[in-house]
């Protein structure tokens, strides 16, 4: 890479001398031009964009210091090296304030100039490296942020009891308190007291998702969740207003401004708004309230023309109580791999049955819970869940509870089976790999940590995992392998007991004999007499 240098001096011989020394000592430098005055230097700096300017201070007209000030306003990163025949203290101080690399006295010595240019080049390289590093970090953040936003929404909409996780996400996004409310947007044509063409609206919404996100975030400090079929969930971070009414009015006004722009993309948009809460721990309530308001709105209970509804504007008084339904549904997909084959189905049947007998739950609310269950599986067990969008479409399209149960139960059975089959394969692979490693390395001292590293598990987890899956401790299995080998070796005349001790990974023959007797019931000497060839 080359770096451009502009040389400024009213004496031609001084310019030629500096150019000669630079050309002689630096291959990476390109002399992009020279100037004879401060005015000329300002114009050429503007046109040539040099990285370094080597400038004399004492020039007629605009002097070097004044030229530097003007150049600095348009080129903040250019580096200056000052030359002067006079050792003026005031000049030197002002030059340093302008961020010069060095103040050189004329006649400039080649060694001094070379050292100073090297120092300037090093500064440029460090700056370039920092710029590159910042760009890479920014690029990584742009890749990470959508993942974090999805994780936040999963925690908000799908998982109960995950307030610490929500707090951690808020910290990552720079919102200490996490106070705010949920806004739920739905796309589709409202006919016959319900939303129709949800799939078509969802497909179009997917294409225009980026535009909707820009519109929302241009008005609000918010995390915009991914589009799920024909819905977008938004969490709005907001400070406490003086009155609840003011808070509600403000949220409805903002929704109205968003709607004004969004309807230009797709006209049939409905927005339900939940209550504001002071901390993120209660955000789940706001989410449920926003969905309820959206359900009332799209169910046409508040008039055909309404497209925005705050939960507090619903005429019926609504009270929300903490339910264990979602907690039990969450347990199904979080622990699907560890459950017995029919356990997940049994828990689902029990929860679904209680939901359908619960007079406080509407059919739409039960469907929302089932959507949460299916989406939860997709978030936790992506490969096993497969193309779960078809299942979501079936759930949204179903009109009776038996059909809903059948759709979700079939999905559950199919997915849990895949999860458990995959887990068995993985477990067997890990056990086989651990056993093989012990069988190949038992002749030397090997540790639990070493085998755990081989199978890519933490030592603590591997120890528990191995015992649970095989019914035997790692150390006992290693001893078994060693003792089985010791028995075969003791049958051969060419090996002494001491040889066998060392060949099976032990360093003390007495300790080896003690372990052997504990396992075989007799000493190595007795075993050799009985079975030796």
């Amino acid at each position: 890479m080359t770096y451009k240098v502009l040389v400024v001096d009213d004496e031609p011989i001084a310019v030629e001398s500096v150019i000669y020394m630079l050309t002689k000592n630096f291959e990476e430098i390109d002399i992009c031009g020279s100037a004879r005055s401060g005015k000329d230097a300002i114009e050429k700096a503007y046109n040539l964009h040099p990285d370094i300017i080597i400038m004399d201070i004492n020039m007629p007209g605009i002097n070097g210091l004044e030229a530097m000030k003007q150049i600095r306003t348009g080129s903040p990163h250019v580096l200056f090296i000052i030359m002067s025949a006079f050792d003026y203290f005031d000049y030197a101080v002002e030059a340093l304030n302008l961020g010069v690399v060095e103040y050189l006295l004329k006649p400039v010595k080649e060694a001094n100039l070379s050292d100073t240019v090297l120092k300037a080049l090093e500064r440029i390289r460090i700056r370039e490296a920092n710029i590159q590093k910042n760009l890479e970090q920014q690029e990584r953040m742009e890749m990470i942020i959508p993942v974090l936003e999805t994780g936040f929404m999963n925690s908000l909409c799908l998982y109960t009891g995950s307030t610490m996780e929500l707090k951690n996400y808020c910290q990552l996004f720079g919102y200490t308190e996490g106070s705010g409310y949920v806004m739920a947007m739905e796309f589709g044509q409202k006919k016959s007291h319900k939303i129709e063409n949800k799939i078509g609206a969802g497909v179009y919404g997917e294409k225009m998702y980026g535009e909707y996100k820009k519109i929302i975030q241009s008005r609000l400090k918010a995390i915009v969740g991914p589009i799920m079929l024909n819905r977008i969930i938004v969490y709005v971070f907001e400070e406490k207003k003086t009155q609840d009414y003011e808070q509600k009015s403000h949220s409805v006004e903002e929704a109205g401004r968003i709607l004004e722009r969004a309807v230009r993309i797709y006209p049939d948009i409905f927005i339900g708004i939940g209550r504001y809460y002071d901390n993120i721990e209660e955000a789940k309530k706001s989410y449920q309230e926003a969905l309820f308001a959206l359900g009332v709105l799209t169910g046409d209970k508040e008039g055909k023309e309404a497209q925005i509804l705050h939960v507090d504007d619903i005429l019926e008084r609504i009270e929300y109580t903490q339910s264990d339904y979602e907690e039990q549904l969450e347990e199904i997909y979080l622990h699907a791999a560890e459950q017995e084959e029919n356990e997940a189905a049994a828990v689902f049947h029990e929860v679904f049955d209680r939901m359908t007998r619960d007079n406080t739950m509407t059919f739409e609310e039960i469907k929302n819970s089932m959507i949460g269950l299916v989406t939860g599986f997709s978030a936790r067990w992506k490969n096993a869940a497969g193309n779960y969008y078809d299942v979501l479409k079936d759930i949204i399209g179903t009109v009776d509870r038996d059909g809903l149960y059948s759709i979700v139960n079939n999905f559950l059975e199919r997915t849990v089976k895949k999860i458990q089959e995959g887990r068995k394969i993985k477990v067997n692979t890990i056990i086989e790999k651990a056993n093989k490693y012990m069988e190949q390395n038992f002749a030397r001292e090997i540790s639990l940590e070493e085998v755990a590293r081989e199978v890519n598990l933490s030592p603590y987890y591997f120890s528990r995992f191995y015992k649970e899956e095989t019914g035997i401790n790692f150390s006992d299995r290693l001893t078994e392998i060693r003792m089985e080998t010791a028995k075969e070796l003791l049958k051969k005349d060419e090996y002494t007991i001491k040889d066998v001790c060392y060949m099976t990974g032990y360093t003390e023959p007495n300790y080896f004999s003690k372990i052997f007797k504990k396992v075989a019931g007799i000493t190595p000497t007795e075993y050799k007499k009985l079975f030796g060839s």
Side-chain angles (χ1 to χ4, degrees), residues 6-10 15 35-37 41 53-56 59 83:
L6 176 66
V7 182
V8 183
D9 199 306
D10 61 332
V15 172
R36 300 283 299 276
S37 67
I53 298 177
I54 301 175
M55 182 180 291
D56 183 20
M59 292 183 295
M83 301 184 298

Side-chain angles (χ1 to χ4, degrees), residues 11 26 31 41 44 58 93 102 209 274 300 312 326 361 367 418:
E11 298 177 4
F26 297 95
I31 306 299
K44 288 189 173 175
N58 298 299
V93 170
E102 197 65 74
Y209 171 75
D300 204 19
D312 283 338
E326 291 189 21
M361 290 196 74
K367 284 170 70 171
K418 286 183 180 179

Side-chain angles (χ1 to χ4, degrees), residues 153-168:
M153 281 299 163
N154 284 339
S155 297
L156 174 67
C157 304
L158 306 177
Y159 310 144
T160 58
S162 55
T163 55
M164 184 53 68
E165 194 171 286
L166 285 171
K167 284 182 179 179
N168 291 338

